[in-house]
Amino acid sequence: MTSIVVTDRNGTTMEIDAYTDRVLMETLREMDDGVAAMCGGMCSCATCHVYVHPDWLQRLPPPDLDELDLLEGLEFRRDNSRLSCQISFTESLAGLPVTLAPDE
Amino acid sequence: MSSGPIHSVVIVGGGQAAVEAAVTLRKKSFAGEVTLLCAEPCPPYQRPPLSKQLLAGKIEPVAIALRATAFFERQEITLHLGSRATHIDRVRKTVHTQDGERLPYDRLLIATGATVRRLDLAGAQLEGVHYLRRLEDCLALRSQLQDGARLVIIGGGYIGMEVAATARGLGCEVTVLEMAPRIMARQVAPEISALFEVQHRAQGVVVRCAAQVEKLIGRRHIEAVQVDGETLATDILVVGVGVLPEVGWLDGSGLSRADGIEVDACCRSVDEAVYAAGDVALQARGNGIALRVESVQNANFQGRTAALAILDEPPPAEEVPWFWSNQYDLRLQIAGFPGPADRSVARYYDSGMAVFFLDAADRMSAVQCVSRPRDFMLGKKLIARAQRVDPQHLSDANYPLQELLQ
């Protein structure tokens, strides 16, 4: 299995199995206190906002303009913010550390 | 207050509200039985892609599942697929299904959603007349949308215009017939309707507003539509003229009226053991008027609200209602409900635009954005704060809107 390291909104860090060749959001929304991902990955709602560990950011394809625009509107945006519905998760990203952003 | 301990929650429905309620019950450590009665044969799925990516063939049905099947198993959420509820016995607290099953419940959540409004016209029964609500509708239509096929769409609302954009992308010749003077008239400001209409025309869609459809013509299969006295040949017809709440099965239960199931702020019906959420629920909004809201956000929010109320937990934090639509590369995002007397202020950019709605005290009530997610997120916050805004700032595209949040 390919796992990721997730820190939830209570600050608890855990290793969980992630779906590969699907977007990261699909794994995160199944967690007990996971992302809402309300628009189902349409890049329309920004309710799957995560912080990617800065050391790993460069390994992800950069966000497109739509994602950047949505991120810009977020109050809790940081330099390492991403929308998890726009991150294709593959085996090469095993061990990816992400933190769930607070609800807006 | 609630009546007795809760061992079993039955949820009638298999959409967003139903799943969100089931998931919330488990997240809040509810240990009793959770059963979903899904009328459709497939596991719960998202509907928005039915008129967009799935219809376009860009994705397959597996990609629109609301949750993986293994997730429901792990969470011990029992799915009865292809199981249609036909009747409720409120005294014995049982739900009856088409297959003759009787499921006892301690609490019942009705999340049966809506069903398409059908055309009442000569020829409406012809083959090749499509509606779009369920996965099977989408797949049936998708198989017909071939390059060069002629498609007439009756109804220029979200569904009609999304199908128009998708079908055009597949090379169909598309005509949209809308009864109102403009497309998406019920959903958006005139400026936004105009922007979308221009884009559809630029893409080669024929948009006819104020059109009166008289009849559908064909022997077995649709061949033409008669509109304003003129005959328009077509291979495929799609009808998108709205939906009606799925309440027919509740006739005589005392729970529903023709326009939905009335619920209080925590989604409880007149029967304290029965709740309703999603497209089917009529709930009083801020202005006191009971509304059914057809949106993913509302379905999720009410599903969560009902689940928390069932468990006697505090309600979720309030949310500003929001909606979206995608047509071509235009992204429509809407938040809030404009009041009938609210004025609108448009903000134009080189690409995209926003229309803000202000009440008599200049407090923001709604925002409608095209391809301006930043304005949308910001507007949503201003609505939540019921903040007073200077309309001149809104119409001046050079004024940085972030300043308003300070």
Side-chain angles (χ1 to χ4, degrees):
Chain A
M1 284 305 279
T2 309
S3 60
I4 56 175
V5 180
V6 184
T7 303
D8 70 14
R9 295 187 189 85
N10 301 317
T12 309
T13 299
M14 63 204 95
E15 193 172 334
I16 61 171
D17 291 333
Y19 293 114
T20 50
D21 304 316
R22 310 255 287 269
V23 295
L24 183 63
M25 172 275 284
E26 292 188 44
T27 296
L28 300 180
R29 77 172 167 196
E30 291 191 3
M31 294 172 61
D32 269 350
D33 195 16
V35 298
M38 231 172 324
C39 74
M42 288 287 302
C43 199
S44 282
C45 71
T47 58
C48 65
H49 178 199
V50 297
Y51 305 122
V52 173
H53 192 287
D55 296 349
W56 289 67
L57 267 184
Q58 299 305 320
R59 298 173 57 173
L60 304 176
D64 65 13
L65 289 177
D66 275 349
E67 183 184 348
L68 285 174
D69 227 359
L70 275 183
L71 287 170
E72 196 112 346
L74 295 174
E75 194 170 339
F76 299 111
R77 186 192 186 179
R78 296 188 200 151
D79 291 342
N80 57 340
S81 284
R82 291 296 307 263
L83 298 183
S84 58
C85 73
Q86 301 300 306
I87 300 174
S88 292
F89 187 77
T90 57
E91 271 176 35
S92 65
L93 293 171
L96 177 76
V98 295
T99 300
L100 306 188
D103 284 329
E104 288 287 316
Chain B
M1 261 311 291
S2 45
S3 46
I6 307 173
H7 304 292
S8 155
V9 177
V10 174
I11 300 171
V12 186
Q16 301 263 3
V19 169
E20 181 69 12
V23 168
T24 304
L25 288 169
R26 289 300 186 226
K27 281 185 177 174
K28 290 291 172 184
S29 306
F30 174 65
E33 285 177 41
V34 177
T35 308
L36 258 67
L37 297 182
C38 310
E40 290 177 69
C42 48
Y45 60 89
Q46 307 171 48
R47 291 189 200 280
L50 299 186
S51 49
K52 308 189 246 323
Q53 305 97 318
L54 191 71
L55 187 62
K58 288 182 186 156
I59 57 172
E60 290 306 312
V62 64
I64 65 168
L66 271 167
R67 294 290 188 282
T69 310
F71 172 82
F72 292 111
E73 285 165 12
R74 227 168 31 238
Q75 296 286 322
E76 297 185 39
I77 295 167
T78 308
L79 302 181
H80 289 222
L81 302 181
S83 179
R84 184 177 288 279
T86 53
H87 175 71
I88 297 176
D89 184 334
R90 287 171 54 192
V91 177
R92 293 192 179 81
K93 289 191 174 176
T94 51
V95 187
H96 301 200
T97 73
Q98 206 165 26
D99 309 324
E101 234 184 329
R102 290 178 184 208
L103 276 105
Y105 65 82
D106 295 312
R107 295 292 182 277
L108 181 73
L109 173 63
I110 301 171
T112 40
T115 180
V116 292
R117 187 192 294 272
R118 301 209 164 251
L119 269 194
D120 185 17
L121 277 183
Q125 308 303 324
L126 288 169
E127 284 174 20
V129 175
H130 294 259
Y131 292 83
L132 186 52
R133 178 72 188 175
R134 298 164 304 176
L135 175 58
E136 59 178 320
D137 301 332
C138 172
L139 297 177
L141 176 60
R142 179 166 107 165
S143 70
Q144 304 300 309
L145 294 183
Q146 279 138 13
D147 194 5
R150 293 167 302 178
L151 167 66
V152 170
I153 299 169
I154 299 182
Y158 284 147
I159 292 292
M161 300 322 291
E162 287 175 3
V163 170
T166 302
R168 197 66 203 114
L170 294 169
C172 300
E173 288 175 30
V174 183
T175 302
V176 177
L177 304 176
E178 166 57 47
M179 204 166 60
R182 61 184 171 95
I183 59 169
M184 301 192 290
R186 275 176 54 235
Q187 292 97 357
V188 298
E191 296 90 336
I192 292 185
S193 291
L195 189 154
F196 274 88
E197 195 174 319
V198 164
Q199 176 70 0
H200 276 281
R201 288 188 198 282
Q203 297 282 343
V205 173
V206 177
V207 180
R208 286 176 63 159
C209 291
Q212 206 63 49
V213 178
E214 286 138 6
K215 63 178 176 185
L216 311 184
I217 301 160
R219 280 176 295 275
R220 273 184 58 195
H221 196 276
I222 182 89
E223 290 166 25
V225 180
Q226 187 178 309
V227 52
D228 301 325
E230 182 190 332
T231 303
L232 205 65
T234 191
D235 304 310
I236 314 162
L237 187 94
V238 171
V239 183
V241 293
V243 295
L244 300 166
E246 183 74 67
V247 289
W249 65 287
L250 293 167
D251 284 350
S253 68
L255 291 172
S256 62
R257 24 189 256 209
D259 55 345
I261 300 168
E262 225 173 334
V263 295
D264 65 12
C266 69
C267 292
R268 195 176 350 223
S269 74
V270 289
D271 181 333
E272 64 179 16
V274 181
Y275 294 72
D279 286 11
V280 79
L282 260 174
Q283 193 178 44
R285 303 282 148 171
N287 54 11
I289 297 167
L291 271 187
R292 278 194 321 105
V293 178
E294 296 158 10
S295 76
V296 169
Q297 178 272 335
N298 178 66
N300 277 291
F301 184 72
Q302 290 187 332
R304 206 175 321 132
T305 301
L308 293 171
I310 285 169
L311 300 177
D312 265 330
E313 295 263 353
E318 270 196 59
E319 286 178 13
V320 176
W322 61 270
F323 312 81
W324 81 89
S325 174
N326 297 75
Q327 295 162 36
Y328 311 105
D329 58 352
L330 297 181
R331 172 197 305 284
L332 175 66
Q333 292 172 294
I334 295 179
F337 297 109
D342 291 357
R343 63 177 164 149
S344 64
V345 183
R347 183 178 175 94
Y348 293 93
Y349 298 93
D350 291 340
S351 90
M353 70 177 300
V355 176
F356 300 93
F357 291 83
L358 302 178
D359 69 9
D362 282 343
R363 285 180 303 239
M364 196 172 289
S365 58
V367 61
Q368 303 176 346
C369 298
V370 183
S371 304
R372 301 303 302 186
R374 214 177 300 175
D375 288 12
F376 168 74
M377 297 299 285
L378 209 123
K380 203 145 96 88
K381 274 179 198 156
L382 294 172
I383 296 164
R385 294 179 183 186
Q387 187 170 320
R388 295 177 97 117
V389 185
D390 181 346
Q392 296 210 331
H393 286 154
L394 298 176
S395 58
D396 176 5
N398 292 316
Y399 176 84
L401 291 179
Q402 302 89 281
E403 299 280 315
L404 298 174
L405 282 176
Q406 305 309 315

